[in-house]
Amino acid sequence: MSDTTMSPTLSRRSFLASTGAAAGGLVVSFHVPFASAQDGATPEVNAWVVIKPDDTVVIRIARSEMGQGTLTGLAQLVAEELECNWAKVTTEYPTPGENLARKRVWGNFSTGGSRGIRESHDYVRKGGATARMMLVQAAADGWGVPVAECVAANSVITHTPSGRKTSYGKVAAAAAKLTPPDAASVTLKDPKAWKLSGKRLARLDTVKKTMGAQDYGIDMKLPGLLNAAIKDCPVFGGKLKSFDAAAIEKRPGVKKVVKVGDSAVAVIADTWWRAKSALDTLPIEWDNGPSAQVSSATIRDTLKAGLDAKDAVVGNANGDAPAALAAAARTIEAVYSYPYQNHATMEPMNATARWTPERCEVWTPTQNGEAALAAAAEAAGLPPAKCEVYKLYLGGGFGRRGRSDYVSQAVAIAKTMPGTPIKLIWSREEDMQHCFYHPITQCKLTAGLDAQGNVTGLHMRISGQSILATVAPQVIKNGKDPFVFQGLDAPGPEASIGYSFPNLLIDHAMRNPHVPAGFWRGVNLNQNTIYLESFIDEIAHATGQDPLALRRKLMTQHPKHLAVLNAVAERVGWDKPAPQGVFRGIAQTMGFGSYVAACAEVSVSDDGVLKIHRIVAATDPGHAVNPQQIEAQVEGSFSYGLSAALFGEITVKDGAVEQKNFDSYPVVRMADMPPVETITMPSGGFWGGVGEPTIAVAAPAVLNAIFAATGKRIRDLPLKNQSLKRA
């Protein structure tokens, strides 16, 4: 989940350069066609804040809302500095086209990598603080008093000496005419003084969703709207050879059958069901190409060969690991693997497009509005200034909607019927078989021990796919994809290893099958944490050490890693016996700027049935904007991580993905989901993410607990393929 999700033929740099975009400050009194600012009586105070005469506060949020709560969290941060009445706060999306026209005043539109709040907190807070200062100045000017004598709270400005009061709504128009204060004069609150941020406030998007009233992209309606269903070549890299449009053109509701790119065909009809039904009967001939011979077995063999290959790129190293291993009194070796995973969003990919020779408009759920605009412009054959994308709520993203392939398809289809809005919806089968999948990897780990059982060296060789090789090959330098090493990097602010080894070598043999890889919630931190945390347990058991004690010994130079680990251990009562028949496993990591740990309590019946009784998780995100939101994100992340660990696997046969729907790609159900106890322990001084990090500790905590229960070390996921039955 990254910002490098632009169309491969229209880079972010060239896209922004073509529109004259550059980083800019807050812009005041610039009328834009938002719903809240249509009436001249409701001008914006600045780009972030519109205040209506009735004191309704509209806060503009550039990041996408896909269930993670970023919309509410960012609104809290703006409202905190604005000193407004939270009960009267609402939100709206600015458009990427307006962002470019206004020199990117709202900053980055990309929502991924758990960056929605942590990468924009500073400038959105300044947006709120600037608006507050302008409102107070307008009130002071109206009263003819020094601004220093006025204070703001709860959308009311008070002149302290006289007690006179006015509301934001009454001075908003005057404030909008003022010149914004110099940026250097805008100071932000110390988080210790927060009144709204840091509180367990209800999400702003909850009511509509619980009532079923929230519209998503799939619900889009426009006058004269037609619908499109699409089929792409089942083998990635294959092409569309031919199709017989005449066979379905006279079916009820069918308007047109069109080729889309080199590899797909779409049917346009008055309803989506008629479009899909006609498409299902359309005679199609595919040219599957050379990858039609690829299978999961051949991919596994390719990755296996990479475990001992010479063409590896170093991601993290210190000392001389090969020499340490050669001189070790004892070595331990293990090979792990992690399969392809599908994002499996509840709402399949969709976009609505309307094209004319003069303008192209797209309505779509996207994690990256600017990337979607770039894709729309390229497909439309128009400059970005003549295109616009209207972001809609996402029915799940998880990284998949950072890509814009479905936007390009929708525009290409709309071009065949100028002026007619056409809504493209992928079927579940199309969505399942044409993803950008979580990359497939294998990992060989070798540890050297001295005579006392101390680790003298560690070598981790990762063999497998590079996400950047699929989505942004230009970013790869000297054969290195830095995302491969998430959670294994040297100490740093993003995703660093939590252990110190006297000799360490972590390298990667890049092997890229034809199946495209993409950013999947948690990205490479997921499998890297499984590999390392499971292997740390292997070392502990091989040397007769308590798994927690060994970790503590290796973490003396990593206090924040150790703090979340200790918090989990204390909460679960690691030093006390577990209930009869229940066994524990523990894991920790650092990713997306946050430190996390988890302990799982499981039991395994004599016939091999796994039950996860409880998970305790600790998170240090630096700052906690909404603790309730963090808890929900942690719980959801364990659902996602356990789905992958228990069931998630995309397999390939004859070059094509075998799974087609949730019957063959199941996810965790209520009966599978254990209670999750969340410890939120922000230590301050940094901003970390919360939507993804704890996914990574879900599987290794459970796997380590399974070993404690059964003595079986599971090194290949998903668990559905493994027998836990006692021998």
Side-chain angles (χ1 to χ4, degrees):
M1 297 167 74
S2 161
D3 296 334
T4 53
T5 52
M6 299 296 288
S7 168
T9 57
L10 187 60
S11 70
R12 177 182 299 279
R13 181 173 296 173
S14 63
F15 177 51
L16 298 181
S18 72
T19 59
L26 294 170
V27 179
V28 181
S29 298
F30 190 104
H31 181 70
V32 291
F34 295 110
S36 66
Q38 290 285 2
D39 185 347
T42 312
E44 63 179 34
V45 179
N46 62 21
W48 299 97
V49 176
V50 172
I51 298 178
K52 298 182 180 182
D54 67 356
D55 289 332
T56 296
V57 177
V58 182
I59 296 175
R60 294 185 179 135
I61 305 297
R63 306 286 181 160
S64 299
E65 178 58 56
M66 48 189 163
Q68 83 282 32
T70 290
L71 182 146
T72 300
L74 289 175
Q76 279 182 257
L77 291 171
V78 175
E80 179 69 56
E81 300 293 342
L82 182 60
E83 292 283 2
C84 67
N85 180 355
W86 180 254
K88 302 204 74 172
V89 166
T90 186
T91 62
E92 68 182 9
Y93 286 143
T95 68
E98 288 296 335
N99 196 38
L100 293 174
R102 298 178 64 169
K103 302 184 185 298
R104 301 191 78 216
V105 64
W106 289 285
N108 192 340
F109 270 51
S110 176
T111 309
S114 296
R115 290 185 172 93
I117 288 177
R118 66 188 175 113
E119 279 196 352
S120 54
H121 68 89
D122 184 70
Y123 60 82
V124 304
R125 290 160 71 200
K126 287 178 179 176
T130 300
R132 182 197 73 244
M133 293 171 70
M134 294 167 71
L135 290 160
V136 174
Q137 182 70 60
D141 291 348
W143 288 324
V145 301
V147 70
E149 294 181 357
C150 302
V151 295
N154 206 36
S155 293
V156 174
I157 303 164
T158 302
H159 179 232
T160 304
S162 67
R164 282 179 290 182
K165 298 179 184 293
T166 190
S167 71
Y168 280 4
K170 292 178 181 177
V171 299
K177 297 175 183 177
L178 297 176
T179 299
D182 181 77
S185 69
V186 180
T187 59
L188 301 178
K189 292 183 182 180
D190 186 317
K192 294 177 183 177
W194 281 349
K195 293 181 288 187
L196 287 174
S197 297
K199 299 298 186 290
R200 301 172 64 88
L201 301 183
R203 282 174 47 163
L204 297 173
D205 56 336
T206 299
V207 174
K208 277 190 173 182
K209 290 179 177 178
T210 54
M211 295 174 64
Q214 180 63 60
D215 287 333
Y216 295 87
I218 204 169
D219 303 312
M220 187 66 194
K221 294 179 178 66
L222 288 170
L225 179 77
L226 296 179
N227 295 268
I230 195 167
K231 273 189 181 180
D232 211 326
C233 183
V235 178
F236 293 105
K239 295 182 178 181
L240 175 65
K241 191 172 183 179
S242 66
F243 60 91
D244 183 8
I248 65 167
E249 284 177 335
K250 297 187 183 301
R251 289 176 63 102
V254 171
K255 305 296 183 183
K256 204 165 191 176
V257 184
V258 298
K259 182 180 180 182
V260 184
D262 293 330
S263 62
V265 59
V267 174
I268 305 170
D270 57 352
T271 70
W272 184 79
W273 184 250
R274 282 179 166 176
K276 179 186 182 298
S277 299
L279 184 61
D280 287 343
T281 63
L282 178 67
I284 304 173
E285 188 175 358
W286 305 106
D287 175 5
N288 289 327
S291 296
Q293 306 304 315
V294 177
S295 67
S296 289
T298 63
I299 293 172
R300 281 194 298 270
D301 290 343
T302 299
L303 269 58
K304 183 179 179 182
L307 294 175
D308 297 305
K310 302 298 183 183
D311 61 331
V313 176
V314 176
N316 189 10
N318 61 261
D320 188 340
L325 294 176
R330 178 186 178 190
T331 60
I332 300 172
E333 182 178 289
V335 175
Y336 285 77
S337 70
Y338 195 82
Y340 284 117
Q341 300 277 355
N342 195 304
H343 299 82
T345 62
M346 288 303 294
E347 179 191 24
M349 300 304 107
N350 67 87
T352 299
R354 179 168 56 203
W355 181 92
T356 70
E358 295 77 32
R359 183 165 176 77
C360 178
E361 295 176 290
V362 175
W363 295 260
T364 190
T366 174
Q367 289 180 240
N368 192 335
E370 290 180 307
L373 181 59
E378 181 183 11
L382 294 169
K386 290 190 175 183
C387 301
E388 186 59 284
V389 170
Y390 305 99
K391 290 197 308 174
L392 306 174
Y393 278 53
L394 286 64
F398 314 124
R400 176 61 180 94
R401 284 190 162 95
R403 302 295 293 167
S404 300
D405 49 325
Y406 55 97
V407 172
S408 299
Q409 289 179 340
V411 173
I413 294 167
K415 285 180 72 175
T416 69
M417 298 186 70
T420 301
I422 298 176
K423 179 165 62 176
L424 169 67
I425 303 175
W426 286 19
S427 66
R428 175 60 62 191
E429 290 74 17
E430 189 72 14
D431 195 272
M432 191 68 72
Q433 296 188 295
H434 292 90
C435 190
F436 291 84
Y437 301 88
H438 187 296
I440 188 169
T441 62
Q442 294 181 16
C443 183
K444 178 188 283 188
L445 301 99
T446 308
L449 309 174
D450 63 17
Q452 289 73 44
N454 298 308
V455 179
T456 58
L458 175 68
H459 179 202
M460 289 183 67
R461 162 62 61 84
I462 301 168
S463 175
Q465 207 151 10
S466 157
I467 296 173
L468 291 185
T470 295
V471 305
Q474 72 276 9
V475 179
I476 295 176
K477 304 298 182 185
N478 301 317
K480 181 179 177 180
D481 176 352
F483 282 101
V484 166
F485 303 99
Q486 277 186 308
L488 303 174
D489 292 320
E494 180 63 23
S496 60
I497 195 167
Y499 303 109
S500 294
F501 300 100
N503 299 281
L504 176 69
L505 174 61
I506 303 174
D507 53 14
H508 174 224
M510 190 182 295
R511 297 294 185 270
N512 292 316
H514 76 298
V515 178
F519 294 102
W520 188 97
R521 188 178 179 189
V523 200
N524 293 308
L525 186 71
N526 295 327
Q527 71 270 20
N528 290 345
T529 305
I530 293 171
Y531 300 155
L532 182 57
E533 288 300 299
S534 294
F535 193 61
I536 291 292
D537 253 48
E538 292 206 45
I539 295 171
H541 288 286
T543 56
Q545 301 181 69
D546 175 78
L548 175 61
L550 174 58
R551 285 176 169 83
R552 285 172 168 165
K553 185 164 63 175
L554 295 172
M555 296 170 74
T556 55
Q557 299 178 42
H558 306 272
K560 291 190 182 298
H561 291 262
L562 183 58
V564 290
L565 186 73
N566 283 339
V568 164
E570 181 180 353
R571 173 70 65 86
V572 83
W574 184 270
D575 58 345
K576 300 173 183 176
Q580 181 67 32
V582 173
F583 299 84
R584 294 173 178 145
I586 203 164
Q588 68 80 34
T589 194
M590 187 262 189
F592 304 97
S594 291
Y595 302 83
V596 298
C599 181
E601 293 186 331
V602 313
S603 63
V604 180
S605 67
D606 290 342
D607 55 355
V609 176
L610 170 69
K611 181 174 178 57
I612 306 172
H613 295 269
R614 175 192 184 202
I615 289 177
V616 175
T619 298
D620 178 1
H623 292 90
V625 175
N626 189 321
Q628 178 176 278
Q629 212 162 275
I630 292 173
E631 291 169 12
Q633 279 290 282
V634 170
E635 292 166 5
S637 73
F638 276 99
S639 175
Y640 212 72
L642 292 176
S643 289
L646 297 174
F647 310 117
E649 180 185 34
I650 291 294
T651 56
V652 177
K653 181 180 180 182
D654 297 330
V657 168
E658 291 188 278
Q659 289 70 29
K660 295 183 178 180
N661 212 313
F662 287 113
D663 59 336
S664 51
Y665 191 79
V667 297
V668 160
R669 299 186 180 187
M670 294 291 286
D672 307 311
M673 189 64 198
V676 177
E677 298 177 29
T678 301
I679 305 169
T680 305
M681 43 188 296
S683 59
F686 65 97
W687 289 76
V690 298
E692 297 175 88
T694 42
I695 294 175
V697 290
V702 170
L703 293 175
N704 290 336
I706 288 173
F707 177 82
T710 67
K712 289 190 172 184
R713 182 64 64 182
I714 305 300
R715 301 189 179 99
D716 304 299
L717 292 177
L719 281 164
K720 70 175 185 177
N721 296 337
Q722 307 294 334
S723 171
L724 302 183
K725 188 175 181 179
R726 289 182 174 84

